[in-house]
Amino acid sequence: MPLPKLKEIEGSAELEQMIEKAREASDMLKALSHESRLLLLCILAEGEKSVTELEQFLGERQSTVSQQLARLRLDRLVTTRRDGKTIYYSLANEDVRKILTAIYDVFCEPVRRRRR
Amino acid sequence: MPLPKLKEIEGSAELEQMIEKAREASDMLKALSHESRLLLLCILAEGEKSVTELEQFLGERQSTVSQQLARLRLDRLVTTRRDGKTIYYSLANEDVRKILTAIYDVFCEPVRRRRR
DNA sequence: ATTACATATACGAATTTAATGATATAAACC
DNA sequence: GGTTTATATCATTAAATTCGTATATGTAAT
């Protein structure tokens, strides 16, 4: 889907598709656009973690973290694996990692490089 | 800011900074995570557009679009230029474009390449 | 089978966000 | 000055999100 020119697009089937894609993307972004959930994903980018580890990291209540994780699961940003009583979370796919990397480059890299 | 290991980070100044960055990023993502606003930004990625053009494209009410644009202005994702009665909007900086490009790659490119 | 531990879910209250209709500002034109 | 055009803001309401408390589920250990 190339970014089409305004003139070409109005009322076209491409517009419909573009709107559909925007809806999908905004759904994913809604899941991302929350301070704690974004932090959770950043930590998971490092590798899989248990819920307890994530709770300790965020310093938030168990039910709060669990609900945030549930949201990330529903929007398919993370997947889980059970080992005994413990459930390990990790990023669901490379798409999530791509978006996170872009966010990371914009918001975090400048710090490291002493720019900004 | 490298993604630090969990062990290294707890209670550290880096954690504080990481949280601050997450807050900044999630603020920007909140502005992005709205179907119409995302579409507006995609259109603006093509080049500057007047409010009227944007309204026509989205097919939404004038006040609705204007408020969405106001939100994007407040979060510094777009800038404006006045020419007579007309106000032209465009993307505010390369950071916005980077994030948009990543979203575009994930959600729109697969269509073009006949994948997915 | 009871208990403890790790995690998930249900429900309600408080807050935030979005859309609408109405009104305001600012420039251009007569 | 009065009107039209382009855009912005305000106020209200409706809807969605978030977080807290409480409770439930699943696994393991005793």
Side-chain angles (χ1 to χ4, degrees), chain B residues 26-41:
Chain B
S26 65
D27 283 346
M28 180 193 194
L29 292 169
K30 273 173 194 153
L32 279 169
S33 63
H34 180 281
E35 183 182 320
S36 301
R37 288 195 299 259
L38 189 53
L39 279 169
L40 285 172
L41 291 169

Side-chain angles (χ1 to χ4, degrees), chain B residues 27-69:
Chain B
D27 283 346
M28 180 193 194
L29 292 169
K30 273 173 194 153
L32 279 169
S33 63
H34 180 281
E35 183 182 320
S36 301
R37 288 195 299 259
L38 189 53
L39 279 169
L40 285 172
L41 291 169
C42 287
I43 298 307
L44 292 179
E46 196 190 303
E48 69 171 12
K49 300 279 179 294
S50 72
V51 178
T52 302
E53 286 175 304
L54 295 171
E55 278 169 31
Q56 288 167 356
F57 181 79
L58 287 187
E60 278 171 9
R61 288 164 197 276
Q62 184 268 322
S63 72
T64 300
V65 174
S66 194
Q67 280 186 115
Q68 288 163 350
L69 290 170

Side-chain angles (χ1 to χ4, degrees), chain A residues 104 107-109 111-112, chain B residues 1-3 14 17-18 21:
Chain A
Y104 191 83
F107 289 93
C108 302
E109 280 304 318
V111 174
R112 187 183 207 173
Chain B
M1 189 157 58
L3 256 190
E14 280 208 36
Q17 191 165 54
M18 196 170 173
K21 292 293 166 193

Side-chain angles (χ1 to χ4, degrees), chain A residues 1-7 9-10 15 17-26 28-35 38-39 42-43 45-46 49 53-54 56-57 94-96 98-99 102-109 111-113 116, chain B residues 1-7 9-10 15 17-26 28-35 38-39 42-43 45-46 49 53-54 56-57 94-96 98-99 102-109 111-113 116:
Chain A
M1 190 156 59
L3 257 189
K5 299 280 171 246
L6 260 190
K7 296 290 141 43
I9 215 179
E10 293 186 39
L15 175 57
Q17 191 165 55
M18 196 169 173
I19 289 173
E20 167 61 15
K21 293 293 167 194
R23 208 182 48 68
E24 282 177 34
S26 64
M28 180 191 191
L29 292 168
K30 274 174 195 153
L32 278 170
S33 63
H34 181 281
E35 184 182 319
L38 189 53
L39 279 170
C42 287
I43 298 307
E46 196 191 302
K49 299 280 180 292
E53 286 176 304
L54 295 171
Q56 288 169 356
F57 181 78
E94 283 309 303
D95 285 352
V96 178
K98 274 189 210 167
I99 302 286
I103 294 169
Y104 191 83
D105 286 349
V106 166
F107 289 93
C108 302
E109 280 304 318
V111 174
R112 187 183 207 173
R113 295 185 191 150
R116 251 199 180 180
Chain B
M1 189 157 58
L3 256 190
K5 298 281 171 248
L6 260 190
K7 296 291 142 41
I9 213 179
E10 293 186 38
L15 175 58
Q17 191 165 54
M18 196 170 173
I19 289 173
E20 168 60 17
K21 292 293 166 193
R23 208 183 47 70
E24 281 177 34
S26 65
M28 180 193 194
L29 292 169
K30 273 173 194 153
L32 279 169
S33 63
H34 180 281
E35 183 182 320
L38 189 53
L39 279 169
C42 287
I43 298 307
E46 196 190 303
K49 300 279 179 294
E53 286 175 304
L54 295 171
Q56 288 167 356
F57 181 79
E94 283 309 303
D95 284 353
V96 178
K98 274 188 211 168
I99 301 284
I103 294 169
Y104 192 83
D105 285 349
V106 166
F107 289 93
C108 303
E109 280 303 318
V111 174
R112 188 182 207 174
R113 294 184 190 155
R116 250 200 180 179

